[in-house]
Amino acid sequence: MLGIGMWVLMLAGSGVFHFYLWMRLVRDTTRPASRGRRIGTGVVAVSALAAPGTRIVTPLFDPSDGGGGRWVAWPGYTLIGVLLYLLLALAVLEVPRALVVRSWRRRAEREAAPEPAPGSGAVVTAGTGAAPGPGGASGAESGGPADAPAPDAGAQESAPAGQLVGRRLFLGRAVGTLAGAAALGTTGYGMAAALGDPQTKRVAITLTKVNAQLSGLRIAVVSDIHLGPLLGRSHTERIVRRVNALQPDLVAVVGDLADGRASQLGPVAHPLKSLESRYGSFFVTGNHEYLYDGVEDWLAEMRGLGIRPLVNERVEIRHNGSYVDLAGVEDLAGEGAGRGPDLERTLAGRDVSRPVVLLAHQPVFAGEAARHGVDLQLSGHTHGGQMFPLTAVTALSNPVASGLGMVDDTTVYVTNGAGFFGPPVRVGAPADISLLELRAVDR
């Protein structure tokens, strides 16, 4: 669980972010001391507390289908998704907004500048405001209209100033409307993608140690199911149906099964017992299995469902008279609890002529896998970034963020995962269940 320091940091970050929202969506769209400004300020203040509060409060509730966590999680995490795209839209609109304001300000300055009387060629002297008459005398001294009222300079200047205020209100409301529409539209699209069926990806992977007998072995890879307050039993059933339709030779569940304890979410995971494959189903832990102090309970739960956990161990899979070693390690997050991956123990004594397929939740473990001669690592964890523009951040922080890649001599495949974490939104990184087919090198 996150510590108090992290909560304080989250609240502070939310405050800064919402102050920016207040400037653009409240200050720029309402008049001072108006009712609209008071209401808008209150809404922003509530949102500033609700966004981080969702992450803080949700784990306190039972995340199962019948628990109360969903009543906090659904509105709270949806709000976070909207806020992300609201920030992005406002940031994109900052440059055109600034250019328009600058143009209006320059125009107002030109309109407010005083102009000399036409044809007089006179210069206004400081302090008197009167042009010299014939012989250097002022208009009053030369019999001019001394009693004529002087122009009201304040009135002349207030008109352009008032116009500028009105224009800025119009601009602020236009920017707010565009940003709001973009944020709501993008979030709605992302929710439809996240809550719909995961895509099926079929990927052929060629490995040098795969011989003709092993060629064609099919592995269904599913990761980051994230059962919890937002995804329940129906989500599990949907995944099982889609995996079974692929008729895989074996199934690999590569971590982050649930956001809660097995005592709470075991019944939600129960449909996994119906997974069908030729050589069985296997499981390795992800970082979320260590967040709720119940990793051993989840390992026992998976065994009860007929899914074999690979806890720093390997099994041999015999296919058409030939063998592939299927290995699995605990997630790196387990190191904080005195557990974690031990690849040296996992691969000790293996036949190096056989290809090794390693299940490891996080792609960053691929460097270690390459040092131990692993042929193929299967991972999840990244969600493919889940929500643009976080996809770019994810790509920078992982050797392979999504799909197929190489780390030294090790092939790495990363699934986007079948669920989501946090906002129920996916933009630019669709959920997937992957069917990998091992292929021999053409000789």
Side-chain angles (χ1 to χ4, degrees):
M1 303 295 287
L2 298 179
I4 294 177
M6 183 58 69
W7 298 137
V8 172
L9 185 62
M10 288 172 60
L11 288 168
S14 179
V16 172
F17 166 67
H18 278 83
F19 179 71
Y20 171 70
L21 288 187
W22 177 85
M23 288 194 301
R24 289 292 171 261
L25 300 181
V26 179
R27 186 198 65 181
D28 290 356
T29 63
T30 60
R31 296 184 183 276
S34 66
R35 182 182 180 188
R37 179 164 293 193
R38 291 194 297 272
I39 293 173
T41 299
V43 170
V44 170
V46 170
S47 176
L49 294 174
T54 298
R55 183 71 181 92
I56 296 171
V57 173
T58 298
L60 303 179
F61 292 88
D62 182 353
S64 64
D65 279 346
R70 62 178 55 196
W71 301 108
V72 176
W74 272 109
Y77 281 120
T78 301
L79 171 66
I80 292 172
V82 173
L83 291 174
L84 173 64
Y85 286 109
L86 197 55
L87 173 63
L88 180 61
L90 287 171
V92 169
L93 291 170
E94 275 296 329
V95 172
R97 174 192 168 279
L99 292 175
V100 170
V101 170
R102 183 180 179 184
S103 173
W104 285 350
R105 183 180 295 114
R106 287 183 172 180
R107 180 179 176 182
E109 289 172 352
R110 289 196 302 268
E111 291 174 350
E115 297 182 3
S120 67
V123 178
V124 177
T125 57
T128 65
S138 69
E141 296 172 344
S142 60
D147 296 330
D152 188 346
Q156 289 179 340
E157 293 177 0
S158 64
Q163 290 175 358
L164 182 58
V165 170
R167 289 171 180 171
R168 293 188 69 157
L169 276 174
F170 172 79
L171 178 62
R173 291 166 183 172
V175 167
T177 300
L178 286 173
L184 291 174
T186 305
T187 302
Y189 164 82
M191 290 183 71
L195 299 174
D197 288 343
Q199 295 182 357
T200 298
K201 291 184 178 179
R202 298 174 183 268
V203 182
I205 299 180
T206 300
L207 300 175
T208 56
K209 290 184 182 179
V210 170
N211 56 29
Q213 289 75 29
L214 285 175
S215 186
L217 179 70
R218 296 182 302 168
I219 306 173
V221 182
V222 58
S223 182
D224 300 277
I225 298 174
H226 284 292
L227 300 175
L230 299 183
L231 293 169
R233 187 183 179 96
S234 61
H235 178 57
T236 315
E237 292 171 345
R238 174 175 54 189
I239 289 171
V240 170
R241 285 196 302 269
R242 296 187 70 83
V243 169
N244 289 347
L246 299 175
Q247 299 181 324
D249 293 311
L250 62 90
V251 178
V253 182
V254 197
D256 279 7
L257 171 64
D259 293 314
R261 296 181 175 87
S263 58
Q264 300 167 322
L265 294 170
V268 178
H270 194 265
L272 293 174
K273 190 172 185 177
S274 299
L275 284 171
E276 299 172 357
S277 61
R278 190 174 181 181
Y279 302 124
S281 300
F282 301 87
F283 171 76
V284 293
T285 56
N287 55 303
H288 280 241
E289 271 72 57
Y290 299 89
L291 294 179
Y292 303 94
D293 301 324
V295 63
E296 284 295 342
D297 291 339
W298 271 118
L299 295 175
E301 184 73 27
M302 297 303 282
R303 293 186 186 99
L305 296 176
I307 300 173
R308 178 171 176 175
L310 295 177
V311 185
N312 296 326
E313 57 188 317
R314 74 178 189 278
V315 295
E316 62 180 28
I317 304 295
R318 187 174 186 269
H319 180 72
N320 293 336
S322 194
Y323 293 89
V324 59
D325 284 333
L326 182 68
V329 292
E330 289 199 76
D331 185 65
L332 291 162
E335 293 176 340
R339 303 175 65 109
D342 187 344
L343 193 53
E344 185 172 349
R345 188 186 86 181
T346 302
L347 300 181
R350 73 180 182 90
D351 183 346
V352 295
S353 67
R354 296 178 180 175
V356 177
V357 177
L358 174 68
L359 310 185
H361 179 65
Q362 298 192 43
V364 294
F365 192 70
E368 183 72 11
R371 285 189 287 274
H372 284 81
V374 169
D375 299 281
L376 172 64
Q377 175 175 312
L378 307 181
S379 299
H381 184 64
T382 67
H383 299 201
Q386 186 170 318
M387 301 169 64
F388 175 85
L390 301 181
T391 48
V393 178
T394 302
L396 291 173
S397 57
N398 289 276
V400 181
S402 178
L404 197 61
M406 293 290 296
V407 174
D408 296 330
D409 293 327
T410 296
T411 302
V412 180
Y413 183 80
V414 181
T415 171
N416 287 350
F420 53 81
F421 178 68
V425 177
R426 276 187 174 270
V427 177
D432 73 69
I433 295 169
S434 299
L435 184 67
L436 311 183
E437 184 173 324
L438 301 188
R439 298 276 181 87
V441 177
D442 293 332
R443 301 187 188 281

mmCIF file of all heavy atoms in Angstrom, residues 155-194:
data_model
loop_
_atom_site.group_PDB
_atom_site.id
_atom_site.type_symbol
_atom_site.label_atom_id
_atom_site.label_comp_id
_atom_site.label_asym_id
_atom_site.label_seq_id
_atom_site.Cartn_x
_atom_site.Cartn_y
_atom_site.Cartn_z
ATOM 1 N N ALA A 155 -13.734 57.966 -19.985
ATOM 2 C CA ALA A 155 -14.813 57.320 -20.727
ATOM 3 C C ALA A 155 -14.298 56.737 -22.028
ATOM 4 O O ALA A 155 -14.707 55.666 -22.468
ATOM 5 C CB ALA A 155 -15.929 58.319 -20.993
ATOM 6 N N GLN A 156 -13.358 57.510 -22.687
ATOM 7 C CA GLN A 156 -12.802 57.013 -23.931
ATOM 8 C C GLN A 156 -12.014 55.721 -23.728
ATOM 9 O O GLN A 156 -12.032 54.815 -24.543
ATOM 10 C CB GLN A 156 -11.889 58.075 -24.556
ATOM 11 C CG GLN A 156 -12.649 59.276 -25.108
ATOM 12 C CD GLN A 156 -11.703 60.304 -25.698
ATOM 13 O OE1 GLN A 156 -10.513 60.306 -25.374
ATOM 14 N NE2 GLN A 156 -12.236 61.156 -26.549
ATOM 15 N N GLU A 157 -11.309 55.616 -22.597
ATOM 16 C CA GLU A 157 -10.484 54.440 -22.344
ATOM 17 C C GLU A 157 -11.314 53.267 -21.847
ATOM 18 O O GLU A 157 -10.948 52.108 -22.025
ATOM 19 C CB GLU A 157 -9.389 54.771 -21.328
ATOM 20 C CG GLU A 157 -8.354 55.761 -21.871
ATOM 21 C CD GLU A 157 -7.322 56.120 -20.824
ATOM 22 O OE1 GLU A 157 -7.439 55.590 -19.706
ATOM 23 O OE2 GLU A 157 -6.414 56.898 -21.125
ATOM 24 N N SER A 158 -12.458 53.528 -21.170
ATOM 25 C CA SER A 158 -13.220 52.446 -20.578
ATOM 26 C C SER A 158 -13.900 51.597 -21.629
ATOM 27 O O SER A 158 -14.114 50.406 -21.427
ATOM 28 C CB SER A 158 -14.259 53.002 -19.610
ATOM 29 O OG SER A 158 -15.210 53.791 -20.308
ATOM 30 N N ALA A 159 -14.265 52.218 -22.767
ATOM 31 C CA ALA A 159 -14.950 51.447 -23.797
ATOM 32 C C ALA A 159 -14.070 50.322 -24.342
ATOM 33 O O ALA A 159 -14.484 49.163 -24.361
ATOM 34 C CB ALA A 159 -15.429 52.370 -24.914
ATOM 35 N N PRO A 160 -12.829 50.619 -24.793
ATOM 36 C CA PRO A 160 -11.965 49.512 -25.238
ATOM 37 C C PRO A 160 -11.675 48.506 -24.129
ATOM 38 O O PRO A 160 -11.617 47.300 -24.374
ATOM 39 C CB PRO A 160 -10.681 50.218 -25.687
ATOM 40 C CG PRO A 160 -11.103 51.613 -25.993
ATOM 41 C CD PRO A 160 -12.193 51.922 -25.020
ATOM 42 N N ALA A 161 -11.500 48.997 -22.900
ATOM 43 C CA ALA A 161 -11.227 48.073 -21.789
ATOM 44 C C ALA A 161 -12.414 47.150 -21.563
ATOM 45 O O ALA A 161 -12.260 45.946 -21.329
ATOM 46 C CB ALA A 161 -10.903 48.854 -20.525
ATOM 47 N N GLY A 162 -13.598 47.718 -21.609
ATOM 48 C CA GLY A 162 -14.793 46.897 -21.424
ATOM 49 C C GLY A 162 -14.955 45.884 -22.539
ATOM 50 O O GLY A 162 -15.363 44.736 -22.306
ATOM 51 N N GLN A 163 -14.636 46.307 -23.760
ATOM 52 C CA GLN A 163 -14.698 45.384 -24.881
ATOM 53 C C GLN A 163 -13.724 44.225 -24.695
ATOM 54 O O GLN A 163 -14.034 43.065 -24.987
ATOM 55 C CB GLN A 163 -14.387 46.128 -26.179
ATOM 56 C CG GLN A 163 -15.481 47.102 -26.610
ATOM 57 C CD GLN A 163 -15.070 47.900 -27.841
ATOM 58 O OE1 GLN A 163 -13.953 47.750 -28.344
ATOM 59 N NE2 GLN A 163 -15.976 48.747 -28.314
ATOM 60 N N LEU A 164 -12.522 44.547 -24.183
ATOM 61 C CA LEU A 164 -11.518 43.500 -23.974
ATOM 62 C C LEU A 164 -11.990 42.489 -22.934
ATOM 63 O O LEU A 164 -11.817 41.282 -23.104
ATOM 64 C CB LEU A 164 -10.192 44.129 -23.539
ATOM 65 C CG LEU A 164 -9.019 43.156 -23.331
ATOM 66 C CD1 LEU A 164 -8.741 42.380 -24.618
ATOM 67 C CD2 LEU A 164 -7.774 43.898 -22.867
ATOM 68 N N VAL A 165 -12.606 42.985 -21.849
ATOM 69 C CA VAL A 165 -13.122 42.074 -20.822
ATOM 70 C C VAL A 165 -14.183 41.162 -21.417
ATOM 71 O O VAL A 165 -14.199 39.945 -21.182
ATOM 72 C CB VAL A 165 -13.689 42.877 -19.632
ATOM 73 C CG1 VAL A 165 -14.450 41.948 -18.686
ATOM 74 C CG2 VAL A 165 -12.582 43.589 -18.890
ATOM 75 N N GLY A 166 -15.101 41.748 -22.190
ATOM 76 C CA GLY A 166 -16.145 40.938 -22.809
ATOM 77 C C GLY A 166 -15.576 39.905 -23.770
ATOM 78 O O GLY A 166 -16.027 38.746 -23.806
ATOM 79 N N ARG A 167 -14.576 40.301 -24.536
ATOM 80 C CA ARG A 167 -13.959 39.362 -25.467
ATOM 81 C C ARG A 167 -13.252 38.224 -24.731
ATOM 82 O O ARG A 167 -13.297 37.065 -25.152
ATOM 83 C CB ARG A 167 -12.957 40.105 -26.351
ATOM 84 C CG ARG A 167 -13.603 41.027 -27.375
ATOM 85 C CD ARG A 167 -12.562 41.887 -28.051
ATOM 86 N NE ARG A 167 -13.145 42.794 -29.033
ATOM 87 C CZ ARG A 167 -12.482 43.762 -29.639
ATOM 88 N NH1 ARG A 167 -11.198 43.975 -29.346
ATOM 89 N NH2 ARG A 167 -13.084 44.531 -30.520
ATOM 90 N N ARG A 168 -12.586 38.567 -23.630
ATOM 91 C CA ARG A 168 -11.878 37.528 -22.881
ATOM 92 C C ARG A 168 -12.854 36.549 -22.250
ATOM 93 O O ARG A 168 -12.573 35.349 -22.161
ATOM 94 C CB ARG A 168 -10.971 38.164 -21.826
ATOM 95 C CG ARG A 168 -9.819 38.939 -22.447
ATOM 96 C CD ARG A 168 -8.812 39.408 -21.424
ATOM 97 N NE ARG A 168 -8.073 38.279 -20.847
ATOM 98 C CZ ARG A 168 -6.884 38.381 -20.295
ATOM 99 N NH1 ARG A 168 -6.279 39.548 -20.259
ATOM 100 N NH2 ARG A 168 -6.285 37.326 -19.792
ATOM 101 N N LEU A 169 -13.995 37.036 -21.790
ATOM 102 C CA LEU A 169 -15.019 36.122 -21.279
ATOM 103 C C LEU A 169 -15.489 35.185 -22.385
ATOM 104 O O LEU A 169 -15.641 33.976 -22.179
ATOM 105 C CB LEU A 169 -16.205 36.908 -20.716
ATOM 106 C CG LEU A 169 -16.086 37.411 -19.278
ATOM 107 C CD1 LEU A 169 -17.277 38.283 -18.928
ATOM 108 C CD2 LEU A 169 -15.976 36.239 -18.302
ATOM 109 N N PHE A 170 -15.736 35.740 -23.560
ATOM 110 C CA PHE A 170 -16.172 34.919 -24.689
ATOM 111 C C PHE A 170 -15.113 33.876 -25.034
ATOM 112 O O PHE A 170 -15.427 32.700 -25.254
ATOM 113 C CB PHE A 170 -16.441 35.818 -25.909
ATOM 114 C CG PHE A 170 -16.705 35.034 -27.162
ATOM 115 C CD1 PHE A 170 -17.947 34.471 -27.390
ATOM 116 C CD2 PHE A 170 -15.695 34.853 -28.109
ATOM 117 C CE1 PHE A 170 -18.187 33.729 -28.550
ATOM 118 C CE2 PHE A 170 -15.924 34.123 -29.258
ATOM 119 C CZ PHE A 170 -17.181 33.570 -29.483
ATOM 120 N N LEU A 171 -13.850 34.304 -25.070
ATOM 121 C CA LEU A 171 -12.768 33.379 -25.389
ATOM 122 C C LEU A 171 -12.658 32.284 -24.334
ATOM 123 O O LEU A 171 -12.501 31.095 -24.655
ATOM 124 C CB LEU A 171 -11.452 34.137 -25.503
ATOM 125 C CG LEU A 171 -10.204 33.286 -25.795
ATOM 126 C CD1 LEU A 171 -10.329 32.589 -27.139
ATOM 127 C CD2 LEU A 171 -8.939 34.154 -25.764
ATOM 128 N N GLY A 172 -12.726 32.680 -23.048
ATOM 129 C CA GLY A 172 -12.632 31.693 -21.976
ATOM 130 C C GLY A 172 -13.735 30.654 -22.060
ATOM 131 O O GLY A 172 -13.501 29.461 -21.878
ATOM 132 N N ARG A 173 -14.948 31.112 -22.369
ATOM 133 C CA ARG A 173 -16.063 30.176 -22.474
ATOM 134 C C ARG A 173 -15.932 29.281 -23.698
ATOM 135 O O ARG A 173 -16.280 28.093 -23.651
ATOM 136 C CB ARG A 173 -17.375 30.957 -22.499
ATOM 137 C CG ARG A 173 -17.683 31.615 -21.153
ATOM 138 C CD ARG A 173 -18.786 32.651 -21.228
ATOM 139 N NE ARG A 173 -18.981 33.280 -19.912
ATOM 140 C CZ ARG A 173 -19.769 34.316 -19.698
ATOM 141 N NH1 ARG A 173 -20.449 34.868 -20.724
ATOM 142 N NH2 ARG A 173 -19.894 34.820 -18.477
ATOM 143 N N ALA A 174 -15.423 29.844 -24.784
ATOM 144 C CA ALA A 174 -15.211 29.030 -25.976
ATOM 145 C C ALA A 174 -14.156 27.958 -25.726
ATOM 146 O O ALA A 174 -14.330 26.784 -26.092
ATOM 147 C CB ALA A 174 -14.798 29.918 -27.148
ATOM 148 N N VAL A 175 -13.042 28.345 -25.086
ATOM 149 C CA VAL A 175 -11.984 27.382 -24.770
ATOM 150 C C VAL A 175 -12.498 26.311 -23.816
ATOM 151 O O VAL A 175 -12.253 25.110 -24.006
ATOM 152 C CB VAL A 175 -10.767 28.110 -24.164
ATOM 153 C CG1 VAL A 175 -9.781 27.112 -23.543
ATOM 154 C CG2 VAL A 175 -10.057 28.940 -25.224
ATOM 155 N N GLY A 176 -13.235 26.726 -22.781
ATOM 156 C CA GLY A 176 -13.782 25.766 -21.834
ATOM 157 C C GLY A 176 -14.735 24.788 -22.482
ATOM 158 O O GLY A 176 -14.724 23.587 -22.186
ATOM 159 N N THR A 177 -15.577 25.283 -23.395
ATOM 160 C CA THR A 177 -16.525 24.412 -24.083
ATOM 161 C C THR A 177 -15.809 23.407 -24.966
ATOM 162 O O THR A 177 -16.127 22.205 -24.967
ATOM 163 C CB THR A 177 -17.494 25.259 -24.935
ATOM 164 O OG1 THR A 177 -18.212 26.147 -24.085
ATOM 165 C CG2 THR A 177 -18.476 24.367 -25.678
ATOM 166 N N LEU A 178 -14.815 23.875 -25.730
ATOM 167 C CA LEU A 178 -14.063 22.972 -26.592
ATOM 168 C C LEU A 178 -13.312 21.915 -25.776
ATOM 169 O O LEU A 178 -13.335 20.725 -26.114
ATOM 170 C CB LEU A 178 -13.074 23.769 -27.443
ATOM 171 C CG LEU A 178 -13.659 24.575 -28.601
ATOM 172 C CD1 LEU A 178 -12.577 25.441 -29.239
ATOM 173 C CD2 LEU A 178 -14.269 23.651 -29.641
ATOM 174 N N ALA A 179 -12.653 22.363 -24.705
ATOM 175 C CA ALA A 179 -11.892 21.426 -23.876
ATOM 176 C C ALA A 179 -12.814 20.414 -23.213
ATOM 177 O O ALA A 179 -12.511 19.215 -23.160
ATOM 178 C CB ALA A 179 -11.086 22.189 -22.826
ATOM 179 N N GLY A 180 -13.948 20.882 -22.705
ATOM 180 C CA GLY A 180 -14.886 19.975 -22.064
ATOM 181 C C GLY A 180 -15.452 18.955 -23.027
ATOM 182 O O GLY A 180 -15.559 17.755 -22.704
ATOM 183 N N ALA A 181 -15.825 19.406 -24.229
ATOM 184 C CA ALA A 181 -16.359 18.481 -25.224
ATOM 185 C C ALA A 181 -15.314 17.446 -25.632
ATOM 186 O O ALA A 181 -15.615 16.250 -25.773
ATOM 187 C CB ALA A 181 -16.843 19.263 -26.448
ATOM 188 N N ALA A 182 -14.066 17.906 -25.812
ATOM 189 C CA ALA A 182 -12.996 16.978 -26.188
ATOM 190 C C ALA A 182 -12.736 15.954 -25.087
ATOM 191 O O ALA A 182 -12.559 14.761 -25.354
ATOM 192 C CB ALA A 182 -11.718 17.756 -26.498
ATOM 193 N N ALA A 183 -12.720 16.420 -23.830
ATOM 194 C CA ALA A 183 -12.453 15.520 -22.711
ATOM 195 C C ALA A 183 -13.566 14.487 -22.549
ATOM 196 O O ALA A 183 -13.302 13.289 -22.376
ATOM 197 C CB ALA A 183 -12.280 16.321 -21.426
ATOM 198 N N LEU A 184 -14.808 14.930 -22.610
ATOM 199 C CA LEU A 184 -15.928 14.001 -22.445
ATOM 200 C C LEU A 184 -16.018 13.035 -23.616
ATOM 201 O O LEU A 184 -16.272 11.835 -23.426
ATOM 202 C CB LEU A 184 -17.233 14.787 -22.310
ATOM 203 C CG LEU A 184 -17.385 15.599 -21.015
ATOM 204 C CD1 LEU A 184 -18.654 16.445 -21.060
ATOM 205 C CD2 LEU A 184 -17.404 14.684 -19.794
ATOM 206 N N GLY A 185 -15.790 13.539 -24.826
ATOM 207 C CA GLY A 185 -15.840 12.663 -25.990
ATOM 208 C C GLY A 185 -14.754 11.608 -25.962
ATOM 209 O O GLY A 185 -15.005 10.428 -26.237
ATOM 210 N N THR A 186 -13.529 12.016 -25.615
ATOM 211 C CA THR A 186 -12.413 11.073 -25.567
ATOM 212 C C THR A 186 -12.613 10.050 -24.456
ATOM 213 O O THR A 186 -12.353 8.856 -24.640
ATOM 214 C CB THR A 186 -11.084 11.814 -25.368
ATOM 215 O OG1 THR A 186 -10.932 12.804 -26.382
ATOM 216 C CG2 THR A 186 -9.912 10.852 -25.418
ATOM 217 N N THR A 187 -13.080 10.508 -23.307
ATOM 218 C CA THR A 187 -13.313 9.584 -22.199
ATOM 219 C C THR A 187 -14.409 8.591 -22.547
ATOM 220 O O THR A 187 -14.302 7.387 -22.240
ATOM 221 C CB THR A 187 -13.695 10.361 -20.926
ATOM 222 O OG1 THR A 187 -12.652 11.293 -20.612
ATOM 223 C CG2 THR A 187 -13.888 9.420 -19.755
ATOM 224 N N GLY A 188 -15.475 9.063 -23.190
ATOM 225 C CA GLY A 188 -16.542 8.151 -23.603
ATOM 226 C C GLY A 188 -16.052 7.099 -24.580
ATOM 227 O O GLY A 188 -16.375 5.902 -24.441
ATOM 228 N N TYR A 189 -15.250 7.525 -25.551
ATOM 229 C CA TYR A 189 -14.662 6.570 -26.494
ATOM 230 C C TYR A 189 -13.771 5.567 -25.761
ATOM 231 O O TYR A 189 -13.822 4.358 -26.008
ATOM 232 C CB TYR A 189 -13.842 7.322 -27.543
ATOM 233 C CG TYR A 189 -12.901 6.440 -28.329
ATOM 234 C CD1 TYR A 189 -13.356 5.699 -29.406
ATOM 235 C CD2 TYR A 189 -11.549 6.346 -27.972
ATOM 236 C CE1 TYR A 189 -12.486 4.871 -30.116
ATOM 237 C CE2 TYR A 189 -10.681 5.528 -28.669
ATOM 238 C CZ TYR A 189 -11.153 4.797 -29.748
ATOM 239 O OH TYR A 189 -10.297 3.978 -30.438
ATOM 240 N N GLY A 190 -12.945 6.077 -24.837
ATOM 241 C CA GLY A 190 -12.034 5.209 -24.110
ATOM 242 C C GLY A 190 -12.741 4.222 -23.207
ATOM 243 O O GLY A 190 -12.287 3.090 -23.032
ATOM 244 N N MET A 191 -13.868 4.634 -22.635
ATOM 245 C CA MET A 191 -14.631 3.715 -21.785
ATOM 246 C C MET A 191 -15.255 2.600 -22.623
ATOM 247 O O MET A 191 -15.284 1.432 -22.206
ATOM 248 C CB MET A 191 -15.706 4.486 -21.023
ATOM 249 C CG MET A 191 -15.155 5.413 -19.952
ATOM 250 S SD MET A 191 -16.439 6.247 -18.989
ATOM 251 C CE MET A 191 -17.098 4.871 -18.021
ATOM 252 N N ALA A 192 -15.764 2.946 -23.791
ATOM 253 C CA ALA A 192 -16.329 1.923 -24.668
ATOM 254 C C ALA A 192 -15.262 0.901 -25.053
ATOM 255 O O ALA A 192 -15.517 -0.311 -25.099
ATOM 256 C CB ALA A 192 -16.922 2.568 -25.914
ATOM 257 N N ALA A 193 -14.036 1.380 -25.307
ATOM 258 C CA ALA A 193 -12.942 0.476 -25.662
ATOM 259 C C ALA A 193 -12.525 -0.391 -24.476
ATOM 260 O O ALA A 193 -12.258 -1.588 -24.629
ATOM 261 C CB ALA A 193 -11.752 1.282 -26.173
ATOM 262 N N ALA A 194 -12.469 0.200 -23.290
ATOM 263 C CA ALA A 194 -12.012 -0.533 -22.108
ATOM 264 C C ALA A 194 -13.014 -1.578 -21.653
ATOM 265 O O ALA A 194 -12.632 -2.647 -21.168
ATOM 266 C CB ALA A 194 -11.724 0.444 -20.969
#
